[in-house]
Amino acid sequence: FARGCSPGGRSLTCPSCPAFLVLPTVFLTGSDRIPIYGMSSLRIIIQSTPSGEQYLPVAHTCYNLLDLPKYSSKEILSARLVQAIDHYEGFSLA
């Protein structure tokens, strides 16, 4: 496996893994489908929240809105974002 890849292809740090684009899209939009007009048609709003570094980012899928706490470093931001996306359960009609 490539560096950072997992056997199931669920790595968010490896661009060659299938989950690299799918999981963040599901986390932000609630859908695992690419929009009919492509990813460039997707309008995602990122807003800063005053919560502390111990909080994870929160996605509001109906509005394509991401609440992102102010983190002190890129490393913490990356770790919290990967944690939030990786543990995202969502809800399914299946």
Side-chain angles (χ1 to χ4, degrees), residues 65-86:
L65 174 68
L66 178 65
D67 289 342
L68 196 61
K70 292 183 181 180
Y71 298 113
S72 60
S73 70
K74 289 181 184 180
E75 291 77 21
I76 294 173
L77 167 65
S78 178
R80 296 290 189 268
L81 198 52
V82 167
Q83 184 181 4
I85 292 170
D86 203 33

Side-chain angles (χ1 to χ4, degrees), residues 14-48:
C14 176
S16 63
C17 287
F20 185 73
L21 285 177
V22 174
L23 288 177
T25 304
V26 171
F27 178 71
L28 290 170
T29 67
S31 174
D32 62 349
R33 308 285 183 202
I34 302 267
I36 194 166
Y37 294 111
M39 291 298 281
S40 62
S41 69
L42 197 61
R43 300 290 175 240
I44 297 171
I45 300 167
I46 301 173
Q47 70 181 12
S48 177

